[in-house]
Amino acid sequence: MIPENTEEQRINPLVAYINECFNRAKQAKADVEQRMIRNLYTFRCQYTPDKLREIREIGGSEIFLPLANIKSRALKAWLTDIFFSNGEPPFDIEPTPVPELPTDLEREVLENLKSEIRDIVLKARQVYELSGGKFDLSSLFLSLKEAIADAKRHMRERIREYAKELAEKEKKRIDDQFVEGGFYDALDDCLFDIAIFPCAIMKSCVPRKVKRFDKTRNVIEAIIPTFNRVSPFDIYPSPSVPDFSDWVIEVLHLTPQDLLNLKGVEGYNEEAIDTVVGLYGDIGFSIEEYNRSERFNLEGKKVEYYNLIDVIEFWGSLPGELLLQADVEFSGDVEIEEGKYYDVAIWVCDNYILRATLNPDPLGMKPYHKASFIEIPDSFWGLSLIDVLYDLQMGVNALSRAIINNSALSSGPMIERNIDRVPPDEDKAIIPWKIFDSTSVGVSTEPAYRFYQPRLTANALVQVIAYFMKLADELSGVPSYAHGDVTVSGAGRCLAEYSRVVTIDGYKEIKDLKVGDLVATIDGSFTKVIGFYPQPRPEPLYRIYFSDGSTVDCTEDHLWVVLNEKGKKTVKTVRELLDEGITREANCKGSKTGKKIIYKWKLPKIEPIKFPYKGVRIDPYTMGYYIGNGSLHKGYVRLSIPDEYLEDVLKRIPYRTNKPLKGKNSDKSVYVGIPTIGVFIREYGLDKVKADTKFIPKDYLYNSVEVRLELLRGLIDSDGYVDKDGSVCFTTTSRQLIEDLRFLVKSLSGRVYKILETEEQEREFPGGRIYRTKRIYKVYFRVPTDVISYISKKQERYKKRNIPYVYIREVEKLNKDERVYCIKVEHKSSVFLCEDCIPTHNTASGLSMLMANANRGIKEVVKNIDRGLIEPTVKRIYYYNVINYYGYDEEIPDLNIKAKGSTVLMEKLAQTQKLLELLNLTNNPVDMQLIGIEGRRYLLEHVFKNFGVSIPMPDELQVMVESLQQQLAQQASAVQKPKPKKEMSEVTEMAQEHRKNMMEEAG
């Protein structure tokens, strides 16, 4: 019983202690409450009063872009789908690995075992007597051992079956209690708190009196365990611990009827309840809290109409001395003793104690549970999604205000009026075709009016907003695809639009690729492009410099397959490479500085590209020799061959040749004519080329490995040579031939490691004639082949060497934004060859990147909810049932309780992966005819459904940005001279076209 509160007892030591705890907790929570108020403003797309005051002092737009609001609602929808979509409870109960044997079952098993032993002994005794004592007793012991083993096996099976029955029974009971007690509604409310507040808090197993119908349809009252979401504003934890292990206070906001309904419930003081209702039933009673007025306004309540009664609910451990001083007594046989602590639940209103009970949980668990979007170790309060996005939200808002302000300022001219030349009473209005009078002052030549046009900078700011929106995807772990954007904008991992990719038909710029094209991959084979993703807006680029002179321009998050210094293969983004460093210094004794630069990352070696064989009109070796040392003379091919190489070369030319002739200016070479192939030289466009315009025809450059090797040998035997050290070099004056040779060598998995360039020079010939030499290129390279030349002297010098790796030498950020494109390939390595046969990693499709984001971002949040809210709530209701539903002679099940949120998420990811694989497999004309558009629509619907998204619609933020771009384009065209151009930007048009195509594919 609780003593009556009289005037003499108004200063109750227990009330004073609880009020002191509340004040300490309130002060410790002040900064957190300010953050929660700020987050509520942000979620409602409103500025805080201080921020709004600052904006109004400057003037201009007060726009608030709903970035955090959209992400919060997307997170809520995503979590709701994970925890509620399959119709199953978000928890599971199963037996422990070694469940304990119930007493009655143990007794039954032992009795069965004794009975079997008695039967065996009885039968053995009969046989022993009939045999005259000659029966071998060892068979008896064997039978006993088998009987015991069978009994143990039977016992284990019975234990497992019994434990499963108990677990299933308890699971159904708890699920029913959750439905009746409002657990699922409370959990749904908490999912929104995860996005907005530093903590989501649930209160479990609160006994409440409810009215219901009995079997005879009579209204009865019953007490059931209930569950409710607790507003983070109303919870005040102990500042000393990061959880509920010390004490915790909740502020309850009750109506007079709520209090009166508690009369008759054990532990409540009816007289105190009547007194409080009598004092404050009409006017209410408020506890002083920080930000109370702001909070109520944001929640749609009016403080002036507040007439609820605030009650402090205290849960914690109190010393017996304090309880004795307050004359508190508990029901039952509990006697309060000094020197002991008691887990109690106390309700205080003003100076009245409305409730004083011991914690009903036998393990001392408090009825509160919490979870956060991001948990902070050793801290009660975590971070919400809006906390993570707040600075970004403010940045987007500032940019949006600047865009609108700049658009308004630049929508028309600003005018300076010379008051010395214009009459004071002249109308200041701007009217077309208006004639105005002005005077001249002395010899002044200053105009009467000056017009200024403010510069329109909004378009650049729109691009920054787009970048911030993409950054929000990364920071939040809630990608745009989760709230309906199927343009895959911000997917990243892209190459510049002008980047070339090696296809089965040769080089193509990445912007010209399409799904179904075949591109080269690292093992030399060709793989299908299964995804093509043009990005709707330009992005910043980085240029990667390689040790072989190649360069590739890509985005910051483009993926590269690289080997580290130990040779371990890994996949890194450009940003990760920069963060970990491109080079490092190492000691070097031979260096002047004692140091040398080591490149940390190298590319994996590629296999020779296996272009399909194409029939060619001229033998590849002959074509190679012709390109190096040939010409077309009077309709037939003429090759210049040194005397010492004549025999070796003619052995490899499969055509009838004319008699070798000496040239006019050479006594060491001869000309050999081939009369039958001149017409084919014209077909390939080589009949009119000069030394500095030579090239390799595409039919040879993109042909089989054998054809390309023969072509290379012809080039080496003509204008190539092999040094004494065995290195191979080719000399030419044609820049195009150098580029073709680089591709030829690299496509054979070779390496061009040096190109020397000799500038043009003037030389004087005998007689005073001046001759200007052409620029000469010397290319040094290695190719993994045993035979580089058919000329004996060159082949004898040649040494086959290991092909060195290509290293990443430098990364430079370019001062330009370009259109970028991503592709996804079918090959298991996810690698394709781009510029100069450089192997690079493909992107992930929008859907598979959604899976990656889910796995990385949502998985941790789901785990926090599982561990913080669901599992402790299920355990507490289980202990509640043990006390209230299990009799003293009834077996308590030995159960293992676990939440299923993470399991459901992983199942969804696995199912979606299978659906994506099926989509890829059926992405061909034959299967398309079999399953049709409706079949693919069915697959796509289930893919998006697994992530809580129906057939996607355009992203709200993207629509706003594109709309803003259109408005700016129109305003700019109105201010500047009219120019013929499209109504909307190319970026917007392409984004809308891509979105339209995606929607049509989805059905």
Side-chain angles (χ1 to χ4, degrees), residues 532-546:
F532 178 71
Y533 312 106
Q535 300 305 288
R537 47 186 172 264
E539 294 195 22
L541 290 179
Y542 287 76
R543 178 161 292 167
I544 316 297
Y545 294 89
F546 299 94

Side-chain angles (χ1 to χ4, degrees), residues 514-517 528-533 823-827 842 920 923:
K514 60 182 182 298
V515 173
D517 283 350
K528 187 186 298 183
V529 175
I530 59 175
F532 178 71
Y533 312 106
I823 65 171
K824 182 173 178 60
V825 299
E826 194 174 32
H827 197 268
N842 69 182
N920 287 334
N923 188 23

Side-chain angles (χ1 to χ4, degrees), residues 384-638:
S384 68
L385 175 61
I386 293 182
D387 285 329
V388 173
L389 293 177
Y390 182 76
D391 288 341
L392 200 60
Q393 174 71 73
M394 292 300 103
V396 169
N397 287 343
L399 287 167
S400 302
R401 295 196 303 272
I403 288 171
I404 292 178
N405 294 341
N406 176 253
S407 301
L409 288 171
S410 60
S411 62
M414 300 178 71
I415 303 169
E416 176 189 356
R417 188 168 74 161
N418 189 337
I419 59 176
D420 292 330
R421 296 198 57 194
V422 179
D425 57 348
E426 181 74 30
D427 186 9
K428 296 182 180 180
I430 303 293
I431 302 173
W433 301 103
K434 178 181 177 181
I435 298 175
F436 52 85
D437 299 323
S438 66
T439 61
S440 60
V441 180
V443 293
S444 173
T445 58
E446 294 294 322
Y449 291 91
R450 278 196 177 95
F451 294 85
Y452 301 95
Q453 179 59 53
R455 182 185 171 197
L456 181 67
T457 61
N459 281 312
L461 297 177
V462 168
Q463 301 303 324
V464 180
I465 286 184
Y467 172 75
F468 275 18
M469 288 162 54
K470 175 184 172 183
L471 187 60
D473 290 359
E474 298 296 326
L475 292 177
S476 67
V478 183
S480 298
Y481 329 107
H483 44 88
D485 184 5
V486 294
T487 62
V488 201
S489 62
R493 303 171 183 176
C494 305
L495 298 175
E497 62 177 348
Y498 48 78
S499 298
R500 296 186 298 173
V501 176
V502 182
T503 75
I504 198 165
D505 299 316
Y507 273 133
K508 274 189 183 180
E509 290 189 352
I510 191 169
K511 67 180 181 182
D512 297 326
L513 293 177
K514 60 182 182 298
V515 173
D517 283 350
L518 296 177
V519 297
T521 187
I522 195 166
D523 62 5
S525 65
F526 288 88
T527 185
K528 187 186 298 183
V529 175
I530 59 175
F532 178 71
Y533 312 106
Q535 300 305 288
R537 47 186 172 264
E539 294 195 22
L541 290 179
Y542 287 76
R543 178 161 292 167
I544 316 297
Y545 294 89
F546 299 94
S547 58
D548 65 346
S550 305
T551 62
V552 175
D553 293 350
C554 60
T555 55
E556 184 181 39
D557 52 0
H558 186 67
L559 296 174
W560 291 95
V561 179
V562 292
L563 306 175
N564 61 19
E565 293 181 75
K566 295 182 179 179
K568 183 179 179 181
K569 185 181 291 187
T570 184
V571 179
K572 300 281 186 183
T573 64
V574 174
R575 172 45 54 196
E576 289 172 335
L577 292 173
L578 287 171
D579 290 344
E580 296 183 33
I582 303 298
T583 61
R584 67 174 179 86
E585 282 191 351
N587 295 326
C588 181
K589 294 181 180 179
S591 171
K592 293 180 180 179
T593 61
K595 300 286 185 181
K596 66 176 180 178
I597 299 297
I598 301 293
Y599 298 123
K600 295 171 64 174
W601 310 103
K602 56 190 177 186
L603 301 180
K605 294 180 181 179
I606 67 170
E607 295 294 320
I609 301 176
K610 302 176 183 66
F611 289 105
Y613 172 75
K614 301 181 182 73
V616 290
R617 310 303 295 269
I618 299 174
D619 165 68
Y621 177 82
T622 306
M623 174 60 82
Y625 201 98
Y626 174 83
I627 293 171
N629 255 347
S631 60
L632 197 65
H633 181 71
K634 295 182 179 181
Y636 66 88
V637 168
R638 187 171 65 176

